[in-house]
Amino acid sequence: MTTTEQSVTEPGRYGPGDMDNLWLHFSRMGSYTQQAPPVIVKGEGAYIWDDRGRKYLDGLAGLFVVQAGHGRRELAQAAAKQAEELAFFPIWSYAHPSAIELSKRLAAAAPGDLNRVFFTTGGGEAVETAWKAAKQYFKLVGKPAKHKVISRAIAYHGTTQGALSITGLPALKQDFEPLVPGAFRAANTNIYRAPYFGDDPKAFGQWAADQIEQAIVFEGPDTVAAVFLEPVQNAGGCFPPPPGYFERVREICDRHDVLLVSDEVICAFGRLGTTFACEKFGYVPDMITCAKGMTSGYSPIGAMIASDRVMEPFLRPGVSFPHGYTFGGHPVSSAVALANLDIFEREGLNQHVLETEGAFRRTLEKLSDLPIVGDVRGDGFFYGIELVKDKATKETFDDAESERLLRGFLSGALFDAGLYCRADDRGDPVIQLAPPLTVGQPEFDLIEQTLRSVLTEAWSRL
């Protein structure tokens, strides 16, 4: 019997004393002095197991990551094979085969003339790279004042100092201020709480896009370098773009000579049913940032993919981009990404999402009969369920109520009921769902049934 097999049959293998050296991310560490956090020891398909042997449906694909599902031996073998041949070499003035091949694969899948791939180790680094590239690009083309960035309210773009500046969540930023100057916000596309045109998606989309133009004009077009937008905004609970929104944003960026960055760290690699989500919504950005699903999480990697236009001044004699990461384009991660993309093609994962996304939506929309469910929104296999105190008025919960509802009850209750997902209050309270791309109706039904039971209990506790 293997160590992993033993661990899933031994109850409570890890206790609070085992946490004395581990600093968890985005966590209140004081909560674990008396009780250990859940310890996940195994994954297979769409399911995970903890150190007590309990099984859970992974309703968040780890963290919007495990597209092809857990336990893929093929991906582990690709990593081992590459590590035996060449475990590491940097791509600082050198190259290696797996990075070369992966760059070709990504460029071929990207829209338009996005043909140049700059590898990172994660999504925040990709966003950081895109902002730095935009700043230097405009210096190289004779417009050095263009350095500012426009993003959207409540949007999350990463935790490095630059990416955190672009992030539109004040509570995440306040402990680290002052941040990098030059980042400004415009309205997001949450039509459920639209201040105008809430009953007209097309008009709302035009209004929301126009808020980006107003921000550019207010700051001065000669000072704005880029607009960073997720195809479907994550933080706040999965805000999809209204009809015509990205078409108009593209026009605005072209009119003011501003680069459009499609931040697809979550949305790329099948989450919405296409390799790159901008394809689904019919726009061609100047740069794409991506990470998470590129390897289905089996090894860390990210990338900024730039257009030929953005790359052109960097090809001039004597010019370099003085930026990079030790592990960017790591040989093992690149090899795993290639094997992961092979699985996507062989098993038709993108097509599977497109064929079943309607069923996923319809199954989740059954929850709309619950008094606590205000809105069900999203796209592909990426959904948010907004929770409200009053469906008729859309009244939300105050901070104290949200704390009791999400952290005090829902997060633990959903996990105890066998569903790993996210109860989030970066904005109005939501439940977020993003299962592996391999799931189907049985898993959709299990998600709906579990949520129905737990949300019904949550309402009875209010």
Side-chain angles (χ1 to χ4, degrees):
M1 181 179 290
T2 67
T3 302
T4 301
E5 289 170 338
Q6 289 173 344
S7 68
V8 298
T9 61
E10 295 172 2
R13 182 180 177 187
Y14 294 93
D18 294 306
M19 298 297 117
D20 290 348
N21 304 112
L22 180 61
W23 194 339
L24 301 176
H25 297 202
F26 283 100
S27 300
R28 299 175 179 180
M29 291 305 297
S31 303
Y32 304 121
T33 57
Q34 302 298 320
Q35 181 178 357
V39 178
I40 306 304
V41 299
K42 180 182 176 181
E44 187 68 35
Y47 292 87
I48 53 175
W49 284 259
D50 67 14
D51 64 332
R52 297 172 295 168
R54 295 188 59 184
K55 179 182 179 182
Y56 308 87
L57 176 61
D58 184 356
L60 203 64
L63 194 62
F64 318 103
V65 171
V66 191
Q67 319 293 61
H70 297 276
R72 290 279 191 166
R73 185 179 299 274
E74 177 180 342
L75 299 183
Q77 290 173 337
K81 183 175 183 292
Q82 178 61 56
E84 289 176 353
E85 293 176 355
L86 179 67
F88 173 75
F89 209 79
I91 52 174
W92 297 38
S93 303
Y94 296 85
H96 56 75
S98 57
I100 293 170
E101 293 306 315
L102 181 58
S103 68
K104 290 180 179 179
R105 194 88 165 260
L106 295 176
D113 67 342
L114 278 80
N115 292 317
R116 193 66 65 150
V117 181
F118 188 101
F119 286 116
T120 68
T121 60
E125 290 178 356
V127 170
E128 197 86 10
T129 300
W131 192 5
K132 290 178 74 173
K135 287 181 176 181
Q136 188 178 355
Y137 166 82
F138 281 112
K139 286 180 172 62
L140 291 171
V141 298
K143 298 182 178 181
K146 290 175 78 71
H147 67 280
K148 297 175 184 176
V149 165
I150 308 297
S151 59
R152 296 184 292 200
I154 314 179
Y156 176 84
H157 292 282
T159 57
T160 57
Q161 290 281 290
L164 187 58
S165 299
I166 298 172
T167 290
L169 293 157
L172 280 186
K173 299 156 70 156
Q174 60 190 15
D175 291 332
F176 310 107
E177 293 172 332
L179 295 170
V180 180
F184 302 91
R185 243 63 57 202
N188 59 45
T189 58
N190 182 6
I191 194 170
Y192 180 66
R193 297 195 174 278
Y196 307 101
F197 309 112
D199 58 351
D200 186 341
K202 189 169 183 179
F204 173 67
Q206 179 169 324
W207 174 86
D210 287 347
Q211 303 313 296
I212 292 174
E213 183 165 39
Q214 287 185 23
I216 293 171
V217 171
F218 182 81
E219 290 302 322
D222 59 341
T223 71
V224 178
V227 171
F228 279 72
L229 304 175
E230 296 167 278
V232 174
Q233 182 174 318
N234 171 37
C238 302
F239 304 149
Y245 174 79
F246 275 110
E247 179 182 5
R248 187 159 182 84
V249 170
R250 180 71 269 182
E251 292 171 355
I252 290 166
C253 289
D254 289 342
R255 181 158 56 248
H256 298 292
D257 192 19
V258 171
L259 300 177
L260 175 56
V261 182
S262 188
D263 184 357
E264 306 202 10
V265 171
I266 287 176
C267 293
F269 305 110
R271 181 54 50 195
L272 306 186
T274 51
T275 300
F276 293 108
C278 53
E279 300 174 72
K280 191 166 190 179
F281 299 122
Y283 67 98
V284 179
D286 299 290
M287 288 184 270
I288 292 172
T289 56
C290 56
K292 294 184 183 288
M294 195 189 308
T295 64
S296 286
Y298 284 70
S299 191
I301 198 169
M304 183 276 288
I305 308 173
S307 67
D308 290 342
R309 171 201 172 190
V310 170
M311 189 66 201
E312 186 277 328
F314 292 94
L315 297 175
R316 296 172 185 173
V319 174
S320 71
F321 183 31
H323 171 72
Y325 302 99
T326 299
F327 295 114
H330 192 283
V332 172
S333 296
S334 298
V336 172
L338 288 165
N340 183 56
L341 295 177
D342 287 342
I343 290 174
F344 266 74
E345 293 182 4
R346 186 173 67 247
E347 299 185 8
L349 293 186
N350 286 343
Q351 188 61 32
H352 172 68
V353 172
L354 294 176
E355 291 172 352
T356 58
E357 62 178 345
F360 189 36
R361 175 186 285 276
R362 288 190 295 272
T363 303
L364 294 178
E365 285 177 340
K366 293 179 182 179
L367 297 167
S368 297
D369 65 348
L370 297 179
I372 198 172
V373 173
D375 192 29
V376 177
R377 56 179 178 258
D379 197 275
F381 277 17
F382 185 34
Y383 272 84
I385 299 171
E386 184 169 334
L387 308 180
V388 294
K389 289 172 65 174
D390 188 311
K391 288 172 76 85
T393 65
K394 301 183 183 179
E395 181 184 1
T396 191
F397 298 91
D398 62 31
D399 290 344
E401 291 168 334
S402 181
E403 175 78 15
R404 291 195 302 272
L405 176 65
L406 297 182
R407 294 179 184 84
F409 177 69
L410 278 177
S411 291
L414 287 166
F415 194 68
D416 288 343
L419 176 62
Y420 164 69
C421 59
R422 172 184 265 181
D424 191 11
D425 63 351
R426 297 177 300 173
D428 296 305
V430 295
I431 302 294
Q432 282 190 293
L433 298 158
L437 309 186
T438 54
V439 301
Q441 193 61 51
E443 290 79 19
F444 302 161
D445 290 337
L446 179 57
I447 289 171
E448 189 273 336
Q449 292 160 11
T450 305
L451 286 171
R452 178 173 295 278
S453 174
V454 175
L455 290 175
T456 298
E457 183 177 353
W459 182 256
S460 71
R461 289 168 171 258
L462 294 177

